[in-house]
Amino acid sequence: MYVDIGNALSSVATPGVSCDSLERLDERVADAHERIERGITDREFGYAALALPEDTDADVIETAVEPLDDIDVDAVLTVGIGGSALGAATVSGALGPGSAGTFVLDNVDPRRTARLLDDLPLADTAVHVVSRSGTTAETLANFLVVRDAYEAEGVDWTERTVVTTGPDGPLRTLADEEDLPALDVPDGVPGRFSALSTVGLVPAAIQGHDVSGLLAGGQAGRESLSGSLFDCPAYALGAISYALEERGASQHVCMPYSEDLEFFAEWFAQLWAESLGKDGLGQTPVRALGATDQHSQLQLYRAGRHDKQVTFVRPREHPAVPIPETDVEGLSYLGGSTLGDLLDAEFEATEASLAAAGLPNVRVEIDRLDAESVGELLYGYEAACVLAGELMGVETFTQPAVEWGKRAARGLLGGGEFEEADAVAEKQRLLVE
């Protein structure tokens, strides 16, 4: 992974960070790195995520999905929510469908769920259901609906389902009763940090992707961690993001220049928001897609408030798709180049346009969209997030605001007595009809 923070310097952008400020900040980065290293070594809660490339066993995952070899799998359906789904979607989205298409049920919208199950060839669809607690209402509700759809078509769902969950709970009980392949969620790892584990890698394994390569890429990211932001791409990203927020960049736009990284932007949004949005702090993550959103959001970024950091993410290599030659006036300049050339030109022009407008932006690049590079990218962003949390002084690995909402919803559904549910009846109303 390569990170260029030149366009976030105060000589280019407002807000921006001076070189002297970065040198001073680097002393704090060194201290934070020591804390992170201790956490990784001791496998402390949260910090254990940065040990996943070493602790995740690719062979265990490959063995768990082997029973699916007897089925002609054309589609893989992940049933989960938040970190239990986004990591898998990001990995499979970045690497492509492989031998089977990627589908995700991570919401309880009845129209979407019904439409997806109507469209999927269930006899040829593998299911990966993920819940650490085994009690996540949205995940279990969707899984019950999925199971019912299989039974209605006379398809044996037990032959097509892999479970990833904790040691206890109803999902683990179901897996034991039905003799389903069951994997353990990693200890001490919040869901949003679990992409390089059983949680995120099962669909990739079913699709025939290189799980060992993904972990090797993550390990390369692990080995790149050092006590200086000037020597570590992940820490450069985390430190500059922290420094820009301190100076007023309250929004962080993640803009990949690859449609295969569109899920990555969604994954980033959860990682950044849920980890750093505490104590009145935290950048609001914004998802964009290059070059598409040059035609929808760029106007705001160039001419709107300077309260944003834009981070571009792209692979350096693209498939060769030539643009045909043409004699049409005004189009002939395109002939002889490729779509990749055009995408790169769009990227560089957008980057330069933001710098010209004085808006801070950061460039993150990987060599290509292969297993090793994707694994390193995911690890790098996780390490960047952890460092930013250390510098901000927040509890990076907790999500109390999310848990509040979960308790309220469960109380409304009759899943127990929770005082948070009472807040619903106390809603202030001013209805206009």
Side-chain angles (χ1 to χ4, degrees), residues 91 94-96 209-210 213-215 217-218 260-261 315 317 366-378:
V91 171
L95 296 180
H209 291 305
D210 183 4
L214 285 157
L215 295 172
D260 288 340
L261 289 175
E317 297 179 12
I366 55 176
D367 289 326
R368 62 194 67 85
L369 285 175
D370 62 10
E372 290 82 358
S373 294
V374 170
E376 186 175 4
L377 178 67
L378 291 169

Short mmCIF file of all heavy atoms in Angstrom, two decimals, residues 91 94-96 209-210 213-215 217-218 260-261 315 317 366-378:
data_model
loop_
_atom_site.label_atom_id
_atom_site.label_comp_id
_atom_site.label_asym_id
_atom_site.label_seq_id
_atom_site.Cartn_x
_atom_site.Cartn_y
_atom_site.Cartn_z
N VAL A 91 -14.32 -8.01 0.36
CA VAL A 91 -13.33 -8.94 -0.19
C VAL A 91 -13.81 -9.52 -1.51
O VAL A 91 -13.09 -9.49 -2.52
CB VAL A 91 -13.03 -10.06 0.83
CG1 VAL A 91 -12.17 -11.15 0.18
CG2 VAL A 91 -12.33 -9.50 2.06
N ALA A 94 -14.03 -6.86 -4.30
CA ALA A 94 -12.74 -6.43 -4.83
C ALA A 94 -12.10 -7.48 -5.72
O ALA A 94 -11.44 -7.16 -6.72
CB ALA A 94 -11.79 -6.09 -3.67
N LEU A 95 -12.28 -8.75 -5.39
CA LEU A 95 -11.63 -9.82 -6.14
C LEU A 95 -12.49 -10.34 -7.29
O LEU A 95 -12.00 -11.10 -8.13
CB LEU A 95 -11.28 -10.98 -5.20
CG LEU A 95 -10.27 -10.65 -4.10
CD1 LEU A 95 -10.01 -11.87 -3.24
CD2 LEU A 95 -8.96 -10.12 -4.69
N GLY A 96 -13.76 -9.95 -7.32
CA GLY A 96 -14.64 -10.42 -8.37
C GLY A 96 -15.38 -11.67 -7.97
O GLY A 96 -15.09 -12.28 -6.93
N HIS A 209 -11.34 -18.02 -4.29
CA HIS A 209 -10.30 -17.01 -4.19
C HIS A 209 -9.17 -17.49 -3.26
O HIS A 209 -9.34 -18.44 -2.49
CB HIS A 209 -10.88 -15.69 -3.69
CG HIS A 209 -11.78 -15.01 -4.67
ND1 HIS A 209 -11.37 -14.72 -5.96
CD2 HIS A 209 -13.07 -14.57 -4.57
CE1 HIS A 209 -12.37 -14.13 -6.60
NE2 HIS A 209 -13.40 -14.03 -5.79
N ASP A 210 -8.07 -16.79 -3.32
CA ASP A 210 -6.85 -17.18 -2.61
C ASP A 210 -6.90 -16.63 -1.17
O ASP A 210 -6.43 -15.52 -0.90
CB ASP A 210 -5.64 -16.63 -3.36
CG ASP A 210 -4.30 -17.02 -2.73
OD1 ASP A 210 -4.32 -17.80 -1.75
OD2 ASP A 210 -3.26 -16.55 -3.23
N GLY A 213 -3.53 -15.94 0.26
CA GLY A 213 -2.98 -14.71 -0.29
C GLY A 213 -3.52 -13.48 0.40
O GLY A 213 -2.79 -12.51 0.64
N LEU A 214 -4.80 -13.49 0.72
CA LEU A 214 -5.40 -12.37 1.45
C LEU A 214 -4.72 -12.20 2.80
O LEU A 214 -4.40 -11.08 3.22
CB LEU A 214 -6.90 -12.61 1.63
CG LEU A 214 -7.76 -12.39 0.40
CD1 LEU A 214 -9.08 -13.17 0.53
CD2 LEU A 214 -8.05 -10.92 0.20
N LEU A 215 -4.49 -13.31 3.49
CA LEU A 215 -3.84 -13.25 4.79
C LEU A 215 -2.38 -12.84 4.66
O LEU A 215 -1.84 -12.12 5.51
CB LEU A 215 -3.97 -14.59 5.50
CG LEU A 215 -5.41 -14.99 5.87
CD1 LEU A 215 -5.45 -16.41 6.40
CD2 LEU A 215 -6.00 -14.03 6.90
N GLY A 217 -1.23 -10.82 2.41
CA GLY A 217 -1.26 -9.38 2.22
C GLY A 217 -1.47 -8.65 3.53
O GLY A 217 -0.83 -7.62 3.80
N GLY A 218 -2.36 -9.19 4.36
CA GLY A 218 -2.56 -8.61 5.68
C GLY A 218 -1.28 -8.67 6.51
O GLY A 218 -0.94 -7.71 7.22
N ASP A 260 -14.99 -2.14 -8.44
CA ASP A 260 -14.82 -3.32 -7.60
C ASP A 260 -14.52 -2.95 -6.15
O ASP A 260 -14.57 -3.81 -5.27
CB ASP A 260 -13.70 -4.20 -8.15
CG ASP A 260 -14.10 -4.92 -9.43
OD1 ASP A 260 -15.31 -5.04 -9.69
OD2 ASP A 260 -13.20 -5.34 -10.18
N LEU A 261 -14.21 -1.69 -5.89
CA LEU A 261 -13.96 -1.23 -4.52
C LEU A 261 -15.13 -0.43 -3.96
O LEU A 261 -14.99 0.23 -2.93
CB LEU A 261 -12.68 -0.38 -4.48
CG LEU A 261 -11.37 -1.13 -4.67
CD1 LEU A 261 -10.19 -0.16 -4.73
CD2 LEU A 261 -11.15 -2.16 -3.57
N PRO A 315 -6.28 0.97 -7.64
CA PRO A 315 -5.21 0.05 -8.05
C PRO A 315 -4.40 0.71 -9.16
O PRO A 315 -4.94 1.46 -9.99
CB PRO A 315 -5.98 -1.16 -8.58
CG PRO A 315 -7.28 -0.58 -9.07
CD PRO A 315 -7.59 0.61 -8.21
N GLU A 317 -2.86 -0.93 -11.52
CA GLU A 317 -3.00 -1.70 -12.76
C GLU A 317 -4.47 -1.96 -13.05
O GLU A 317 -5.27 -2.16 -12.14
CB GLU A 317 -2.26 -3.03 -12.66
CG GLU A 317 -0.76 -2.89 -12.48
CD GLU A 317 -0.07 -4.24 -12.36
OE1 GLU A 317 -0.72 -5.28 -12.66
OE2 GLU A 317 1.11 -4.27 -11.98
N ILE A 366 -2.81 0.70 -4.35
CA ILE A 366 -2.30 -0.67 -4.26
C ILE A 366 -1.86 -1.09 -5.65
O ILE A 366 -2.19 -0.43 -6.64
CB ILE A 366 -3.36 -1.65 -3.70
CG1 ILE A 366 -4.65 -1.59 -4.55
CG2 ILE A 366 -3.67 -1.33 -2.25
CD1 ILE A 366 -5.72 -2.59 -4.13
N ASP A 367 -1.08 -2.15 -5.73
CA ASP A 367 -0.55 -2.55 -7.03
C ASP A 367 -1.66 -2.96 -7.99
O ASP A 367 -1.70 -2.53 -9.13
CB ASP A 367 0.45 -3.69 -6.86
CG ASP A 367 1.74 -3.23 -6.21
OD1 ASP A 367 2.16 -2.08 -6.45
OD2 ASP A 367 2.34 -4.01 -5.44
N ARG A 368 -2.53 -3.81 -7.50
CA ARG A 368 -3.59 -4.35 -8.36
C ARG A 368 -4.67 -4.96 -7.47
O ARG A 368 -4.46 -5.11 -6.25
CB ARG A 368 -3.03 -5.42 -9.30
CG ARG A 368 -2.44 -6.62 -8.58
CD ARG A 368 -1.60 -7.50 -9.48
NE ARG A 368 -0.40 -6.80 -9.90
CZ ARG A 368 0.73 -6.75 -9.18
NH1 ARG A 368 0.80 -7.36 -7.97
NH2 ARG A 368 1.77 -6.12 -9.62
N LEU A 369 -5.78 -5.33 -8.03
CA LEU A 369 -6.85 -5.95 -7.26
C LEU A 369 -6.65 -7.46 -7.26
O LEU A 369 -7.35 -8.21 -7.92
CB LEU A 369 -8.22 -5.57 -7.83
CG LEU A 369 -8.69 -4.15 -7.52
CD1 LEU A 369 -10.00 -3.84 -8.21
CD2 LEU A 369 -8.81 -3.93 -6.02
N ASP A 370 -5.65 -7.90 -6.49
CA ASP A 370 -5.44 -9.32 -6.27
C ASP A 370 -5.49 -9.58 -4.77
O ASP A 370 -5.63 -8.65 -3.96
CB ASP A 370 -4.14 -9.81 -6.90
CG ASP A 370 -2.90 -9.15 -6.31
OD1 ASP A 370 -3.00 -8.43 -5.29
OD2 ASP A 370 -1.80 -9.36 -6.87
N ALA A 371 -5.39 -10.85 -4.39
CA ALA A 371 -5.60 -11.22 -3.00
C ALA A 371 -4.62 -10.51 -2.07
O ALA A 371 -5.00 -9.95 -1.03
CB ALA A 371 -5.49 -12.73 -2.83
N GLU A 372 -3.34 -10.51 -2.41
CA GLU A 372 -2.34 -9.91 -1.54
C GLU A 372 -2.57 -8.42 -1.35
O GLU A 372 -2.51 -7.90 -0.23
CB GLU A 372 -0.93 -10.15 -2.08
CG GLU A 372 -0.46 -11.60 -1.99
CD GLU A 372 -0.97 -12.46 -3.14
OE1 GLU A 372 -1.73 -11.95 -4.00
OE2 GLU A 372 -0.63 -13.67 -3.18
N SER A 373 -2.83 -7.71 -2.44
CA SER A 373 -3.02 -6.26 -2.35
C SER A 373 -4.29 -5.91 -1.59
O SER A 373 -4.31 -4.95 -0.80
CB SER A 373 -3.06 -5.66 -3.75
OG SER A 373 -1.81 -5.78 -4.40
N VAL A 374 -5.36 -6.66 -1.81
CA VAL A 374 -6.60 -6.39 -1.09
C VAL A 374 -6.43 -6.66 0.40
O VAL A 374 -6.90 -5.88 1.25
CB VAL A 374 -7.76 -7.22 -1.68
CG1 VAL A 374 -9.01 -7.14 -0.80
CG2 VAL A 374 -8.08 -6.73 -3.10
N GLY A 375 -5.76 -7.75 0.74
CA GLY A 375 -5.50 -8.03 2.15
C GLY A 375 -4.70 -6.94 2.81
O GLY A 375 -4.98 -6.52 3.94
N GLU A 376 -3.69 -6.42 2.11
CA GLU A 376 -2.88 -5.34 2.67
C GLU A 376 -3.68 -4.06 2.80
O GLU A 376 -3.52 -3.31 3.78
CB GLU A 376 -1.65 -5.11 1.79
CG GLU A 376 -0.67 -4.12 2.38
CD GLU A 376 0.60 -3.98 1.56
OE1 GLU A 376 0.70 -4.59 0.48
OE2 GLU A 376 1.51 -3.25 2.01
N LEU A 377 -4.54 -3.77 1.84
CA LEU A 377 -5.38 -2.57 1.91
C LEU A 377 -6.31 -2.60 3.11
O LEU A 377 -6.42 -1.62 3.86
CB LEU A 377 -6.20 -2.44 0.62
CG LEU A 377 -7.17 -1.25 0.55
CD1 LEU A 377 -6.41 0.07 0.52
CD2 LEU A 377 -8.08 -1.38 -0.67
N LEU A 378 -6.98 -3.73 3.32
CA LEU A 378 -7.89 -3.85 4.46
C LEU A 378 -7.13 -3.70 5.77
O LEU A 378 -7.57 -2.97 6.68
CB LEU A 378 -8.61 -5.19 4.41
CG LEU A 378 -9.62 -5.37 3.28
CD1 LEU A 378 -10.07 -6.82 3.18
CD2 LEU A 378 -10.82 -4.46 3.46
#
